[in-house]
Amino acid sequence: MSQGDGDRFRPNRQVRRWLGPIFGTACFLATLTGVVVLIVLLGAILFAALAGPPHHPWYAVGANMRELFALLSRLISQRQSSDPAIAGYRVGLVGSLWLLGLVALIGIPAGIGAGVFLEEYAPPGRLKRIVQTNIANLAGVPSIVYGILGLALFVRAFGVRGLAMGPSLVAGAFTLGLLILPIIVITTQEALRTVPNSLRQAALALGATKWQVVSGHVLPMALPGIMTGTILGLSRAVGETAPLLMVGAAGSILRLPRGPLDRYTALPVEIYNYAKEPNRQFQTIAAGGILILLVLLLSMNAAAILIRNRFRRYR
């Protein structure tokens, strides 16, 4: 490179030298903004949960935590009621756990199977590109649209009485299963793409069949990413409210569901019902329900991290 070329590119190096720290500072501020907003939201929820009678000053952390734990224990053990002194989330929490189990049975095999087929078996071509584009678009569809689809397809079965499931647990599970299906498919494909092609080629060169390569080598290597994406998808399903309201989740129900065809309610639905009550005492109940839901979601996210780290250790 001549001296003239060096002089020509020197100003660009000056700009890059300044833009690097500026970009880093902007990224740090963006991260800090998210953390601050999260802390403020959690603080507001905790304050609302303890905003009943001020038995202890705000700085009495131990006493306030014991009071908060007592509140959450009562909310978990009590059923929905119009009296805030005895109101709770027992039925909604059991309904959410039922939904979580059914959605896992429906969505996980279908999503992982579709992701494996598209990534490992489907021949490249126009049809595959169309399917991939539609799956990516479905991942961004608002959840209320899935609720409308579930109402027409599962609850009413387009007017066919013999196929209609009604406002049952299984109808809600199928609706939420459709909601998280694109997420599981995409995360499965991304996890499979992290497996080097040299592993596939080596197994095929040794005489392994396509199924043996996928089941014995590719899937075990991609399992941490698949499990992480799957659990995060289930976390989204647990926190959804709009689709369940569309497919007939009961706003007030006192009987625990005993089977997949029973009527049900869910924890987010009960939180919504308590939050819109005019009595300010119900705001404490709603805040306590939000904390229970947060604990459930954070537990699932922690499980995703532990599963990912455990499988990475044995790779």
Side-chain angles (χ1 to χ4, degrees):
M1 187 174 65
S2 64
Q3 182 67 29
D5 292 335
D7 294 337
R8 184 176 60 182
F9 286 108
R10 187 172 293 112
N12 293 335
R13 289 199 296 269
Q14 289 281 352
V15 172
R16 290 195 294 269
R17 189 177 296 115
W18 282 102
L19 285 180
I22 292 174
F23 180 73
T25 303
C27 292
F28 172 75
L29 292 176
T31 304
L32 185 63
T33 301
V35 172
V36 169
V37 170
L38 179 61
I39 292 174
V40 170
L41 287 175
L42 290 176
I45 294 171
L46 287 171
F47 178 78
L50 293 170
H55 300 114
H56 308 284
W58 65 270
Y59 52 83
V61 178
N64 286 328
M65 287 299 102
R66 287 192 294 271
E67 185 176 343
L68 180 62
F69 181 77
L71 171 66
L72 296 181
S73 301
R74 178 176 67 82
L75 294 179
I76 291 173
S77 61
Q78 298 292 333
R79 305 187 182 192
Q80 189 171 11
S81 173
S82 58
D83 183 2
I86 58 174
Y89 292 100
R90 181 184 176 189
V91 179
L93 186 58
V94 173
S96 292
L97 294 177
W98 264 100
L99 284 173
L100 181 61
L102 292 174
V103 170
L105 289 176
I106 295 168
I108 292 178
I112 294 178
V116 170
F117 173 78
L118 289 173
E119 194 62 30
E120 301 293 333
Y121 290 95
R126 185 176 181 181
L127 179 61
K128 181 179 178 180
R129 291 196 300 270
I130 292 174
V131 173
Q132 291 277 183
T133 302
N134 281 279
I135 290 175
N137 290 334
L138 287 173
V141 172
S143 59
I144 189 68
V145 177
Y146 285 98
I148 297 172
L149 175 63
L151 176 64
L153 181 60
F154 302 123
V155 178
R156 298 177 180 174
F158 299 109
V160 181
R161 284 183 181 270
L163 299 177
M165 300 176 184
S168 60
L169 266 169
V170 68
F174 272 113
T175 303
L176 294 180
L178 287 180
L179 174 68
I180 67 171
L181 191 61
I183 301 174
I184 298 178
V185 173
I186 292 173
T187 55
T188 299
Q189 288 186 269
E190 293 297 330
L192 292 173
R193 288 169 189 162
T194 62
V195 180
N197 283 327
S198 59
L199 180 67
R200 299 177 176 87
Q201 295 167 0
L204 290 172
L206 292 173
T209 63
K210 183 70 172 178
W211 165 246
Q212 289 173 331
V213 173
V214 173
S215 62
H217 301 282
V218 177
L219 277 178
M221 288 287 290
L223 197 58
I226 293 174
M227 294 301 295
T228 301
T230 299
I231 295 177
L232 294 179
L234 292 175
S235 298
R236 181 188 174 185
V238 170
E240 287 291 345
T241 306
L244 297 179
L245 291 175
M246 290 299 300
V247 297
S252 177
I253 187 171
L254 300 179
R255 186 172 61 89
L256 294 175
R258 299 181 178 179
L261 298 179
D262 287 353
R263 289 295 305 271
Y264 70 102
T265 187
L267 184 58
V269 176
E270 290 191 332
I271 293 172
Y272 169 75
N273 289 330
Y274 284 134
K276 67 180 183 179
E277 289 288 338
N279 189 343
R280 290 190 61 86
Q281 291 183 350
F282 281 108
Q283 305 306 312
T284 301
I285 306 299
I290 294 173
L291 288 176
I292 295 172
L293 184 59
L294 281 175
V295 170
L296 180 60
L297 295 178
L298 291 176
S299 300
M300 296 180 67
N301 292 342
I305 295 172
L306 292 175
I307 290 173
R308 181 184 61 198
N309 294 337
R310 181 178 179 85
F311 278 102
R312 279 182 177 175
R313 191 180 308 156
Y314 295 106
R315 284 174 62 171

